[in-house]
Amino acid sequence: MRLRSLFLFDMRFQTKYGFYFLYTVLTAVYIVILLAIPGSWREKAAAVLIFSDPAAMGLFFMGAIVLLEKSQHTPCALAVSPVRAIEYMIAKAGSLSAVSLAVAALLALAADAKHLHIILPGTMISSVVFTLLGMIVATKTESLNQFILWTVPVEFACFAPAVLHLFEVTPTWLKYYPANVCMDMVSGHSPSAAGLLIVMAMIIILFIYSGFCVLKMWDHTGGAKI
């Protein structure tokens, strides 16, 4: 019941601050772009857009959400409530992943991409990874400028290898790099068992560490400049 309430609260919160309106506009723009480019490029362009935008929205939106919550002293209320860190994290990841899946499906259909049964799970996994990374960074920062600065190395480590891998300009052994495994799935290719296992292991590690970060944030509740 608490998890359901948290999930619905996050959905309302994101609606109130225009997250869904923004992504409706962006999705329309992306679809126009996809339809305007040559068909032979469309599938890879869709993969880049899905990976770098809907799948990664957790990284950027999570920072904005957590910093807004800090400015409104929401962690103070959560710290003394029965809500557990795991419930807080699942609700955040679930609400953002739902939007990512919807946008990814629209972009994939616009690009006439095949293998939706791989693309959508890949988007889900990518979204969870980026949401947890965003949560870790956001809990450790106190302003939007600081958050943006801290996300630069995260963006570089995730996006650059994945895009290079998509265009096959990286060594073969880098196919096991977690971001590259996610890109393979987003582009409609089945991942290797070893690659999928590595990504799952990374998600577990990120989940545990982000839970520690959330608890630490609740222990040091206070406002934030944004």
Side-chain angles (χ1 to χ4, degrees), residues 43-63:
E43 197 164 347
K44 284 193 174 182
V48 172
L49 288 174
I50 292 171
F51 183 82
S52 65
D53 209 83
M57 69 182 291
L59 177 62
F60 306 107
F61 278 18
M62 184 53 62

Side-chain angles (χ1 to χ4, degrees), residues 51-216:
F51 183 82
S52 65
D53 209 83
M57 69 182 291
L59 177 62
F60 306 107
F61 278 18
M62 184 53 62
I65 290 169
V66 173
L67 288 173
L68 279 169
E69 288 183 346
K70 284 183 178 182
S71 68
Q72 296 170 355
H73 303 288
T74 302
C76 297
L78 291 172
V80 296
S81 74
V83 173
R84 293 179 296 175
I86 188 172
E87 295 169 333
Y88 175 84
M89 292 156 52
I90 291 175
K92 287 282 188 292
S95 61
L96 290 175
S97 295
V99 183
S100 294
L101 286 173
V103 176
L106 291 173
L107 294 179
L109 291 172
D112 294 323
K114 300 175 178 60
H115 309 298
L116 275 176
H117 64 288
I118 299 174
I119 294 173
L120 295 184
T123 301
M124 180 72 177
I125 292 172
S126 303
S127 180
V128 170
V129 169
F130 283 113
T131 298
L132 293 175
L133 287 170
M135 188 176 296
I136 290 170
V137 176
T139 56
K140 294 179 176 294
T141 54
E142 297 299 329
S143 71
L144 188 58
N145 287 340
Q146 189 180 15
F147 175 81
I148 292 172
L149 182 63
W150 280 39
T151 55
V152 170
V154 177
E155 293 173 43
F156 183 78
C158 293
F159 295 128
V163 173
L164 292 174
H165 176 70
L166 177 65
F167 290 97
E168 301 177 353
V169 293
T170 54
T172 305
W173 59 270
L174 273 180
K175 68 180 180 180
Y176 299 111
Y177 186 66
N180 295 354
V181 175
C182 291
M183 178 60 89
D184 278 338
M185 295 186 70
V186 165
S187 59
H189 299 105
S190 298
S192 64
L196 195 57
L197 184 63
I198 291 171
V199 173
M200 292 297 105
M202 186 183 71
I203 288 176
I204 292 172
I205 292 170
L206 289 175
F207 197 85
I208 293 171
Y209 185 59
S210 60
F212 169 78
C213 292
V214 168
L215 289 174
K216 188 174 181 180

